[in-house]
Amino acid sequence: MSSVHPYKKVFVETDNFGASYLDTLEHCYNQVKIDSVQFSMLNDLAYYWHTRNLNTAMAFTKKGLQLTSLNNELTWNGRFQITQGAILLRMEKLDSAKIVLELAKAKVEQSDLAFLNTQLGYVYERRGQLDKAADYALKALDLGEKLNNNKAMAMAYSDLSNLFWKQAKFETGLEYGLRSLKLFEDWGITDLDYGFTLYVTGNNYLALEDYEEARRYYEHSIIIGERYGFYNNLSDVYISLVDLYSYLGEFENAREAGRNAVKYAELLENNFMLMRSWLAIGKMQNKCGNYEEAIKGLKKSITTATEDFGDAYYLSDAHKELGRAYASNNDYKNAYNAFSEYDSLKNEVFTAEADHRISQLRTEFDVAQKEGTIVLQQAQIKKQQTLQQFITIITVLLLLLLLLAYKAISNNIKKNKLLQKKNSEKEFLLKEIHHRVKNNLEIVSSLLSLQAASIVDPNVLDAMEQCQHRVHSMGMIHQKLYLGEKLATVEMKDYFNNLSDYIIHSYGQNEQVIVDLEMDELELDVDIAIPIGLIVNELITNSLKYAFPANRKGNIHLALKEKGDLLILEVRDNGIGLLSENRADGTGFGTHLVNLLVKQLDGKMILVTDQGTSVYIKFLNTKAA
């Protein structure tokens, strides 16, 4: 296997991933020359072993990290760190996973970042920080859209579906799950993440009580998991099937699903899956009324979760179910403790529902320890008093909040009115400034006109008239600013119409030359509109002066169009062309000015002199702030 090798990237170039494929990769990767092919094979070994056994996966990951470090392969070292992070978080080492994933960011390529962000999202999801997990899912989605990567987008939608499910927003979760599956199907390869998305979509159907659809998606996910040996997906699905069969009252099927969930979690050596498997079994025993068995299973679930477990979502659920089991078994003291732990994990301090339930359990516990009707009545009276006090406190707090909200809204209304007044004043002042600038430019234009009247030299006279036109073109910009609704942008189509009419009228060629304006309405920042106006002024003036001698009739085509981030200015005429002898009569200042303005706009100018003169200028569109 020195030059020719049978390896194809798993779930990219092939989905031929049978039970023995990882063994084949392990046998062959050492025979390949140390290069990207060997690293890719080793990374596939590391990553896909995490679907079967986490410790084996970590061993291959460490080999990859060692090899890439020895060979100074920074990018591949970063990719192995992403794989390491994926394995560590499933080993409940969330802090370590976050550290290695952050280190990998600076090493890998942009195409790897979507997958990296997905793993970081899993870290925060396991910590119960669903808002941050959603942020990373959205980052992965954005990268997938930029790179047109269906797989990355599909994984992001899958993660969002799972997060919405955890937030009990099941209809939205279902929508994102179905969207993810459509992208996976367009991609054309059924892999680990496709199987997981089927499971997540099934969870949303289950929560919406569409049991048949949930069963259908779970069964499809199991087919993929068994085909490829994805133990983590299989454990996930069987955990949900325990819930599904329990809802349907099919308790024998639920017990079988629970045994399968535990089996695959143990094969994977994944305590997270094992904890959730026992949680599902405990829930099922509660529904069956087997409270002693439920307590055993739920205690085993909680014991399996280590101190670094991190996922308060499932851990709180386990304590809630344990509280129910104890309460149903008349063990009110332990029920009270379990519900207290549930409340602490869910961070729901003294909510009405939690307070009512805990008070009820406390009362039941007290009653269980004492005898007699008098004690029971006293406990009930105390409970009612506590509830009434709680309601009174909540009512006072709500009234206080309403009062504060009213004051805040009133203050905001006053502030908004003051801001509107100030904005109106500033807008008036800005319009007045533009008006005065326009008036001053008109004065300059008039002075130039008066000066020109006393000049005999035709070249100097022409230069003076050119200056007058330039000043007028700038004045028109400021006129549009103070007459228009927007103070920072100029609508260019109307401006070009007015400017071209003015120039043609100034040269007395209204009947001789027609300006053909071909463009849509387009607003530009004033800082870019002024130099463009000066350029158009010079180019139309040059056409009028040199393209149509001896009263020759003609057309000038003018256009300004957007193309992506670029603006393209086009000015062309059907005159005699730039190389005519008449062109030599000019001073050259106009051409020099155009070149300077194009350079100012950081643009590029193309001149074509075939059948007339055409000028094309491309430059970046600097949007107004």
Side-chain angles (χ1 to χ4, degrees):
M1 292 181 63
S2 56
S3 58
V4 179
H5 55 81
Y7 168 71
K8 290 184 178 180
K9 180 71 177 167
V10 179
F11 296 119
V12 175
E13 299 171 309
T14 180
D15 59 358
N16 181 16
F17 188 76
S20 63
Y21 189 79
L22 290 177
D23 295 331
T24 303
L25 275 186
E26 183 178 359
H27 175 72
C28 294
Y29 87 89
N30 275 322
Q31 301 175 34
V32 178
K33 180 181 175 183
I34 297 178
D35 59 8
S36 61
V37 174
Q38 186 189 45
F39 297 145
S40 184
M41 292 171 72
L42 188 53
N43 196 39
D44 277 347
L45 267 172
Y47 184 72
Y48 287 104
W49 256 110
H50 99 273
T51 68
R52 296 180 184 175
N53 186 281
L54 294 174
N55 291 320
T56 304
M58 184 57 77
F60 282 116
T61 303
K62 288 178 178 177
K63 284 184 184 178
L65 290 168
Q66 184 181 18
L67 267 178
T68 51
S69 294
L70 288 172
N71 289 277
N72 294 319
E73 288 281 353
L74 190 65
T75 300
W76 273 108
N77 187 263
R79 288 169 180 163
F80 275 101
Q81 284 183 315
I82 297 175
T83 299
Q84 184 183 26
I87 297 167
L88 284 169
L89 73 91
R90 287 161 178 84
M91 288 180 161
E92 301 176 37
K93 299 176 181 179
L94 301 181
D95 290 339
S96 299
K98 182 176 182 297
I99 289 168
V100 297
L101 289 169
E102 292 290 351
L103 288 172
K105 274 185 182 178
K107 300 178 182 179
V108 296
E109 297 176 357
Q110 188 182 32
S111 56
D112 301 308
L113 289 177
F115 184 60
L116 187 151
N117 283 323
T118 296
Q119 302 307 314
L120 274 171
Y122 292 159
V123 171
Y124 284 105
E125 181 191 342
R126 287 291 312 279
R127 286 176 171 173
Q129 296 173 272
L130 301 185
D131 53 340
K132 288 190 176 180
D135 287 340
Y136 280 101
L138 290 172
K139 285 182 182 179
L141 179 61
D142 184 55
L143 283 165
E145 288 173 345
K146 285 181 180 176
L147 299 173
N148 197 26
N149 186 330
N150 272 12
K151 172 68 185 296
M153 289 188 284
M155 288 183 67
Y157 281 127
S158 176
D159 295 341
L160 289 169
S161 175
N162 191 41
L163 291 171
F164 278 115
W165 171 70
K166 282 194 170 184
Q167 291 175 316
K169 297 178 180 177
F170 307 122
E171 291 183 355
T172 306
L174 178 61
E175 178 189 342
Y176 280 116
L178 294 173
R179 190 178 299 182
S180 173
L181 291 173
K182 176 65 169 58
L183 286 167
F184 273 116
E185 286 155 10
D186 290 344
W187 181 50
I189 294 180
T190 56
D191 69 346
L192 170 73
D193 301 299
Y194 179 70
F196 177 77
T197 306
L198 288 166
Y199 150 76
V200 169
T201 306
N203 284 347
N204 283 290
Y205 273 122
L206 178 60
L208 292 168
E209 300 182 3
D210 191 340
Y211 300 128
E212 286 307 311
E213 279 299 291
R215 189 202 300 261
R216 189 165 69 86
Y217 278 84
Y218 290 150
E219 288 175 352
H220 191 177
S221 182
I222 287 173
I223 290 170
I224 295 171
E226 289 178 344
R227 174 184 173 188
Y228 296 125
F230 294 154
Y231 296 164
N232 49 356
N233 280 9
L234 287 168
S235 186
D236 268 332
V237 177
Y238 279 116
I239 288 167
S240 289
L241 278 173
V242 175
D243 292 337
L244 173 62
Y245 289 133
S246 297
Y247 287 132
L248 296 173
E250 300 175 17
F251 293 112
E252 191 52 46
N253 286 337
R255 291 186 186 95
E256 179 63 24
R259 286 190 287 270
N260 281 327
V262 170
K263 177 183 75 174
Y264 286 114
E266 288 176 343
L267 284 170
L268 194 62
E269 297 185 58
N270 186 332
N271 283 341
F272 176 62
M273 294 291 189
L274 197 57
M275 179 270 178
R276 290 172 52 221
S277 299
W278 285 113
L279 169 59
I281 292 168
K283 282 184 177 179
M284 179 265 295
Q285 296 290 3
N286 261 347
K287 278 187 168 53
C288 288
N290 299 328
Y291 303 119
E292 292 288 349
E293 290 300 315
I295 290 167
K296 287 180 184 177
L298 292 164
K299 286 174 113 179
K300 190 175 289 188
S301 172
I302 292 168
T303 304
T304 303
T306 64
E307 290 183 6
D308 298 326
F309 186 71
D311 199 322
Y313 179 86
Y314 291 110
L315 200 53
S316 65
D317 203 16
H319 283 286
K320 181 174 70 175
E321 289 295 324
L322 184 60
R324 288 175 177 171
Y326 277 129
S328 299
N329 208 35
N330 299 319
D331 187 349
Y332 301 115
K333 182 176 181 179
N334 281 324
Y336 174 82
N337 292 333
F339 275 113
S340 296
E341 186 65 23
Y342 161 72
D343 286 335
S344 175
L345 285 164
K346 292 294 286 185
N347 199 24
E348 295 175 354
V349 183
F350 301 118
T351 62
E353 181 181 358
D355 182 72
H356 175 74
R357 183 61 178 146
I358 291 169
S359 297
Q360 185 182 37
L361 287 168
R362 172 62 72 183
T363 302
E364 291 170 354
F365 174 69
D366 290 339
V367 171
Q369 300 300 308
K370 300 175 184 178
E371 296 179 355
T373 306
I374 297 174
V375 176
L376 176 60
Q377 289 176 343
Q378 289 176 341
Q380 288 175 336
I381 291 169
K382 187 177 180 180
K383 171 188 168 184
Q384 290 296 328
Q385 289 174 340
T386 303
L387 184 60
Q388 287 172 0
Q389 289 173 356
F390 181 76
I391 292 170
T392 302
I393 292 169
I394 290 294
T395 303
V396 171
L397 288 173
L398 284 173
L399 288 172
L400 182 60
L401 285 172
L402 285 171
L403 179 62
L404 291 173
Y406 173 76
K407 289 182 72 73
I409 291 169
S410 298
N411 289 336
N412 283 336
I413 290 171
K414 290 178 183 177
K415 289 178 182 177
N416 286 338
K417 286 182 178 178
L418 183 61
L419 285 173
Q420 286 174 357
K421 182 180 179 183
K422 289 183 177 179
N423 285 338
S424 296
E425 290 173 352
K426 289 178 180 178
E427 183 177 335
F428 174 78
L429 288 173
L430 281 172
K431 287 193 173 186
E432 184 63 22
I433 289 168
H434 284 302
H435 192 184
R436 294 192 181 189
V437 170
K438 181 256 182 186
N439 287 344
N440 289 337
L441 288 171
E442 282 189 349
I443 290 170
V444 173
S445 180
S446 298
L447 290 172
L448 291 171
S449 180
L450 287 172
Q451 185 68 45
S454 63
I455 294 173
V456 178
D457 188 323
N459 290 329
V460 177
L461 180 60
D462 181 62
M464 292 294 286
E465 289 175 347
Q466 289 296 325
C467 289
Q468 186 180 354
H469 294 164
R470 291 161 189 147
V471 170
H472 189 78
S473 73
M474 292 188 289
M476 290 172 71
I477 293 281
H478 289 281
Q479 182 178 14
K480 283 196 161 293
L481 288 171
Y482 80 77
L483 290 176
E485 293 182 359
K486 297 182 180 179
L487 297 174
T489 59
V490 178
E491 200 288 295
M492 299 303 291
K493 183 175 182 180
D494 186 56
Y495 170 62
F496 282 163
N497 262 324
N498 294 336
L499 180 62
S500 58
D501 286 346
Y502 164 74
I503 298 170
I504 290 177
H505 179 76
S506 298
Y507 279 90
Q509 297 190 32
N510 305 59
E511 303 296 328
Q512 181 183 344
V513 178
I514 296 173
V515 175
D516 173 24
L517 183 59
E518 183 185 341
M519 62 181 286
D520 297 325
E521 290 187 356
L522 176 64
E523 290 190 354
L524 294 182
D525 187 279
V526 64
D527 291 335
I528 196 171
I530 288 176
I532 290 175
L534 289 170
I535 290 172
V536 170
N537 175 77
E538 296 301 323
L539 295 176
I540 292 178
T541 299
N542 282 349
S543 292
L544 293 175
K545 287 171 64 178
Y546 305 117
F548 310 110
N551 293 323
R552 174 174 173 166
K553 291 189 177 181
N555 291 329
I556 297 174
H557 176 81
L558 174 59
L560 179 62
K561 298 179 181 179
E562 281 185 304
K563 188 174 183 181
D565 292 335
L566 292 177
L567 287 172
I568 302 175
L569 175 65
E570 179 184 350
V571 182
R572 70 172 186 266
D573 61 55
N574 60 353
I576 62 174
L578 183 65
L579 299 179
S580 169
E581 294 179 358
N582 294 335
R583 182 70 181 86
D585 295 336
T587 65
F589 177 76
T591 302
H592 182 60
L593 178 59
V594 170
N595 288 329
L596 287 174
L597 292 169
V598 171
K599 187 175 181 181
Q600 176 187 329
L601 293 171
D602 197 19
K604 181 179 179 182
M605 183 168 66
I606 300 171
L607 178 65
V608 180
T609 58
D610 184 20
Q611 296 180 350
T613 301
S614 299
V615 178
Y616 302 90
I617 303 173
K618 296 180 182 179
F619 46 89
L620 284 174
N621 183 8
T622 306
K623 300 288 185 184

